[in-house]
Amino acid sequence: MCGIVGYIGAQEKKKILLDGLQELEYRGYDSAGIAVISDGKLQHFKAVGKLKNLREKAADFRSEGPGAAIGHTRWATHGKPTELNAHPHVGAFSYVVHNGIIENYRELKEELEAEGVRFLSQTDTETVVHLFEQKIKEGLEPFDAFKATIDRLEGAYAILLISEAAPETIFFAKNGSPLLIAFGAEEIYFASSDTAVIGHAKEAYYLEDGEYGYACPGEVKLFGPEGEKTISTKPLPADKAMAQKDGYRFFMEKEIYEQSTVISDTMLGRVLEDRVEFEELDPSLFEGIDAIKICACGTSYHAGLAGAYLLERMAKIPCQVEIASEFRYKDPLLSPRTLFVTISQSGETADTLEALKMAKRAGLKSLSICNVDNSSIVRESDAAILTRAGIEKGVASTKAFATQVMVLWMLTLYLGRRNGAMTPEAIAHELEAMRHAPRALLVGERLHERIHRLSKRYLHGHGFFFIGRDLFFPLALEGALKLKEISYLHAEGYPAGEMKHGPIALADAELFTIALMPKTLLYDKIKSNVEELSARDATILAISPEAFELADDFIRTEEADHPMLEFFEMMVVTQLLALEISIRLGNDVDMPRNLAKSVTVE
Ligand code: F6R
């Protein structure tokens, strides 16, 4: 996830770019940069860290007068967050900014290097600017050179390119990553999201995948696979705050809806035809390792619990999961043959960080699964896998959890292949299911409407039990946590088979049981557990692809052929249920009482 902006016009370009990037900083903030072409000359500024560093660096730079400019705020995927890896990437006479991943960049890079091109960065993006300049050197006109360049790209991209070969022009292309063109009185703007241009422009065109073109003063040419296209603009929202939420009532709601997209980002370039690869991992990390210990807090701990089922069952690696605050004081016995895996959305959670330091002192190798590059936990770990959920603003974690679980599923296939525990056929079966995960995470309008209607029946009572078995037990824990965080109603997650060992004593009509009843995993077992509760008059909300006659309420999920697809779909249902109950109770969904997004105290 990165943010890009572009501008053609005579106003102070630096200010427009920096203000636009400020609005997109939520998409990534490990480095930022701008490039301006005016009077036919290119100039650029880059800085590591937040945008304020770039503002300081470019403080004395003036950029009024006709010209074109591009800017970028980065969320590192290829290469560390250094100034050299920051965008815009420079060639001999051109600059490019890019959001997405060029999957075939290695092949392109080798080709270019063989032709004598020297690369400055470790990024996939730099290939684009060199490819463009090679085409110019071959004699192509600038736009033909740009078209020939994007024809070679595989993967996801939103690209803006400026060049001394065509001053006052921005070349643009979109495939899989967001990009819009907005129109002011005399000016033309580009951005990843409309919040960056609201206030400057009144109309915008949101590009479709496969579209590309160029813009120069007074002219925008748009092309698609079928040739030239006309641009039909839409009015831009006037209210910035609303636009940041893309029309959703709360960030949490927006983030629930984003899950289908961000999970694709998590998989991008890692889920390959026949295997999972993590370019960021040195295989030597796993040498001499025969067990995994996962350590995390809250939602991230729940992701770890789900991951442990997958790692043990499929990759055949013994895997324990610990709550970081407990782990720290239990004088744990640690073996250097155990890989210590921390999971954290923020990368700053004090208990998880301290647990990691303890494990390191005991000589364990460490891997973090984290959403924030360059965070303390990532820096402290021997290796990191970034979850690529994008910034999560709602305090109650949703999309971060989905991406953590996805990374753990991917890690299972990676390790299962590595240690020979999984056959190529078993891996192929999992990969096939994995590719369907974005669809399982889509929020259907009818589903949301049904949960909204149903939620009014669940605003009281003396408590909720979310129950599930196997993988669906951690999901039950997570569903209960979501509900209590934002509704302030008491909720517990419980293994369904454990209810009869005590909690069933609570059962009466005012005890709400949310039963996770997947068809692909232990359906008959969970069914009998729910029957036991129903016989004691508990109110049952069943979530299942199969109608359940004893349920008081029923939410039907899709028939699926893999438990993880049921997992993701049921996860969305529990998130929406918590959201709708909280809204009905009039609570502040995004900033629930007593909580903070990043828990940096013990
Ligand atoms: C719940 C939630 C928290 C966090 C926990 C750990 O919605 O967000 O339970 O999961 O505070 O935070 P991270 O993942 O940042 O280490």
Side-chain angles (χ1 to χ4, degrees):
M1 272 252 302
C2 302
I4 65 179
V5 291
Y7 172 72
I8 298 173
Q11 293 179 38
E12 172 59 54
K13 283 168 264 308
K14 176 187 78 179
K15 183 171 177 355
I16 289 175
L17 293 182
L18 291 178
D19 291 352
L21 290 177
Q22 193 78 57
E23 293 297 333
L24 301 178
E25 209 179 12
Y26 72 93
R27 299 178 63 85
Y29 45 79
D30 56 43
S31 59
I34 56 171
V36 174
I37 183 161
S38 87
D39 291 333
K41 284 259 159 319
L42 278 165
Q43 264 185 291
H44 80 272
F45 294 87
K46 297 185 190 189
V48 172
K50 294 214 163 172
L51 203 59
K52 67 175 177 20
N53 300 346
L54 180 63
R55 278 192 194 278
E56 277 162 25
K57 208 159 176 186
D60 298 329
F61 175 54
R62 296 283 164 270
S63 51
E64 276 151 10
I70 54 177
H72 187 273
T73 178
R74 179 166 186 247
W75 185 276
T77 55
H78 291 75
K80 290 195 180 321
T82 60
E83 208 166 297
L84 273 183
N85 287 335
H87 300 217
H89 284 288
V90 57
F93 49 87
S94 321
Y95 281 98
V96 70
V97 290
H98 162 226
N99 169 27
I101 294 181
I102 309 295
E103 287 174 3
N104 60 336
Y105 83 98
R106 275 212 197 82
E107 170 197 328
L108 297 173
K109 190 170 176 178
E110 275 166 25
E111 237 176 66
L112 288 159
E113 280 176 337
E115 288 168 23
V117 173
R118 262 196 63 235
F119 278 73
L120 298 173
S121 77
Q122 299 155 312
T123 65
D124 51 336
T125 304
E126 198 184 336
T127 50
V128 179
V129 71
H130 294 308
L131 207 51
F132 171 78
E133 293 193 346
Q134 287 299 98
K135 301 285 172 200
I136 295 271
K137 283 183 199 150
E138 285 165 20
L140 293 188
E141 287 300 313
F143 181 56
D144 295 334
F146 181 70
K147 164 87 172 70
T149 301
I150 55 166
D151 281 348
R152 295 289 318 274
L153 305 182
E154 286 167 22
Y157 50 80
I159 287 172
L160 300 179
L161 185 144
I162 56 176
S163 174
E164 284 176 1
E168 289 194 61
T169 302
I170 293 183
F171 300 101
F172 59 88
K174 172 199 162 25
N175 192 43
S177 303
L179 185 64
L180 63 89
I181 315 174
F183 300 89
E186 308 264 302
E187 296 86 7
I188 299 164
Y189 300 83
F190 291 86
S192 304
S193 154
D194 51 18
T195 48
V197 295
I198 291 171
H200 294 295
K202 291 209 160 39
E203 301 267 309
Y205 174 73
Y206 298 79
L207 275 88
E208 307 270 345
D209 284 345
E211 290 184 341
Y212 62 96
Y214 65 88
C216 50
E219 183 182 29
V220 178
K221 287 276 184 203
L222 177 75
F223 300 85
E226 259 81 68
E228 192 168 348
K229 296 179 84 168
T230 46
I231 295 179
S232 47
T233 59
K234 286 190 184 151
L236 278 166
D239 176 357
K240 212 167 231 182
M242 196 60 199
Q244 276 179 338
K245 291 186 196 148
D246 279 352
Y248 294 103
R249 295 163 292 176
F250 294 96
F251 281 111
M252 180 186 173
E253 185 178 28
K254 174 171 179 258
E255 286 157 6
I256 292 171
Y257 274 75
E258 272 171 10
Q259 293 180 115
S260 171
T261 318
V262 295
I263 212 91
S264 304
D265 290 341
T266 310
M267 292 192 282
L268 207 65
R270 293 167 168 169
V271 175
L272 310 181
E273 197 55 31
D274 59 345
R275 65 190 190 283
V276 169
E277 279 297 346
F278 291 104
E279 195 179 71
E280 54 275 70
L281 296 186
D282 182 337
S284 68
L285 181 71
F286 302 99
E287 274 162 25
I289 294 297
D290 54 22
I292 287 179
K293 191 180 277 292
I294 297 178
C295 202
C297 301
T299 289
S300 300
Y301 167 71
H302 297 155
L305 287 175
Y309 280 95
L310 299 172
L311 284 159
E312 285 214 355
R313 178 168 294 143
M314 293 194 278
K316 304 290 178 214
I317 302 172
C319 184
Q320 279 185 335
V321 193
E322 307 246 10
I323 291 177
S325 55
E326 286 299 310
F327 174 80
R328 288 178 63 184
Y329 299 102
K330 68 185 271 201
D331 298 329
L333 294 176
L334 296 171
S335 147
R337 298 184 68 81
T338 298
L339 179 69
F340 196 77
V341 177
T342 50
I343 307 177
S344 175
Q345 187 286 126
S346 63
E348 302 297 343
T349 301
D351 283 319
T352 311
L353 182 60
E354 286 309 313
L356 168 60
K357 287 180 183 164
M358 265 176 66
K360 283 185 72 181
R361 281 196 296 274
L364 272 66
K365 291 200 262 187
S366 57
L367 167 69
S368 61
I369 296 174
C370 190
N371 197 31
V372 181
D373 196 9
N374 226 18
S375 57
S376 305
I377 289 176
V378 167
R379 279 185 279 119
E380 195 65 39
S381 305
D382 294 324
I385 303 176
L386 295 179
T387 49
R388 304 181 184 157
I391 288 179
E392 194 177 55
K393 288 199 176 175
V395 163
S397 185
T398 51
K399 61 177 182 169
F401 175 72
T403 55
Q404 288 167 345
V405 174
M406 179 50 103
V407 165
L408 287 158
W409 187 12
M410 287 157 60
L411 186 64
T412 301
L413 303 201
Y414 177 86
L415 293 176
R417 177 171 183 268
R418 199 178 176 280
N419 65 11
M422 293 182 77
T423 60
E425 293 71 34
I427 292 174
H429 173 71
E430 294 299 310
L431 290 172
E432 176 60 19
M434 212 170 245
R435 291 189 192 100
H436 286 95
R439 209 171 56 86
L441 285 159
L442 281 174
V443 183
E445 207 178 299
R446 280 180 50 205
L447 172 77
H448 195 163
E449 176 52 32
R450 166 133 184 79
I451 295 174
H452 166 71
R453 271 188 289 118
L454 225 143
S455 61
K456 63 176 175 287
R457 300 217 275 273
Y458 293 91
L459 308 178
H460 62 290
H462 59 66
F464 287 76
F465 268 90
F466 285 68
I467 60 168
R469 297 186 76 123
D470 203 280
L471 272 172
F472 292 79
F473 162 50
L475 185 58
L477 288 171
E478 177 56 12
L481 179 63
K482 283 299 81 97
L483 185 67
K484 60 188 151 203
E485 278 183 288
I486 60 172
S487 73
Y488 320 142
L489 294 169
H490 179 70
E492 274 191 65
Y494 229 77
E498 270 289 295
M499 289 299 282
K500 58 182 165 299
H501 297 291
I504 203 164
L506 289 168
D508 66 16
E510 296 290 286
L511 179 79
F512 298 140
T513 302
I514 315 295
L516 306 176
M517 305 176 70
K519 275 310 294 288
T520 52
L521 203 57
L522 302 173
Y523 179 76
D524 291 331
K525 301 278 173 210
I526 175 104
K527 193 169 168 215
S528 355
N529 300 142
V530 183
E531 278 163 3
E532 286 153 18
L533 278 155
S534 170
R536 274 114 191 136
D537 233 7
T539 297
I540 312 285
L541 165 55
I543 305 172
S544 181
E546 178 140 325
F548 178 57
E549 65 279 12
L550 297 178
D552 299 275
D553 280 315
F554 176 59
I555 296 173
R556 188 186 293 279
T557 48
E558 293 278 321
E559 291 278 351
D561 56 8
H562 195 287
M564 287 308 291
L565 299 179
E566 296 207 87
F567 181 99
F568 282 128
E569 197 182 342
M570 291 189 186
M571 179 198 75
V572 171
V573 171
T574 56
Q575 292 167 340
L576 290 173
L577 185 66
L579 174 85
E580 290 300 329
I581 291 176
S582 172
I583 294 174
R584 281 192 191 273
L585 292 171
N587 299 341
D588 185 340
V589 170
D590 285 334
M591 280 186 263
R593 69 184 185 202
N594 308 340
L595 297 178
K597 187 68 190 158
S598 179
V599 187
T600 51
V601 290
E602 204 184 326

